[in-house]
Amino acid sequence: MANLETSLKECLSSIDGATAAALVDYTSGMALGTLGGGKDFDLEVAAAGNTDVVRSKLRTMEHLGLQGEIEDILITLSSQYHLIRLLKGRDGTGLFLYLVLDSGRANLAMARHQLRKIENDLEI
């Protein structure tokens, strides 16, 4: 099992095109850990904003009576993919991994696969 810092480093080093990663608590909107980003991309702001996305989708599913769990939420921009993976089990409830990818260098299927592996190894 990997700790948070190791897991975020693995996101950036093992996933082609990854430029930023965070572990976010969507009950509070706070990033519990971040890596990457920079002055042009504030991960704290992105974490808070994507918390609203997760909450909204969960609320919509509830209103529609949809069963099942969210695995991933994908937001595609002209030059980036934003991948949100809700954590399950082992006290990961209420948390999501947030990954920013350069769409020109990333393989989305492989990124999802790697993110799932990182989730399984993450020790919270």
Side-chain angles (χ1 to χ4, degrees), residues 58 61-62 65-71 88:
L58 289 170
M61 289 176 63
E62 183 180 335
L66 296 176
Q67 300 301 309
E69 298 176 336
I70 296 172
E71 288 184 15
K88 298 172 190 69

Side-chain angles (χ1 to χ4, degrees), residues 1-11 21-23 32-35 87 90 95 97 117-124:
M1 296 203 159
N3 69 21
L4 177 56
E5 182 180 347
T6 302
S7 294
L8 292 177
K9 285 181 181 176
E10 187 177 346
C11 282
L23 179 68
L32 305 177
T34 62
L35 191 62
L87 302 186
R90 288 199 335 256
L95 303 177
L97 280 167
K117 180 183 177 305
I118 290 166
E119 172 194 4
N120 289 334
D121 294 341
L122 180 63
E123 182 178 302
I124 300 171

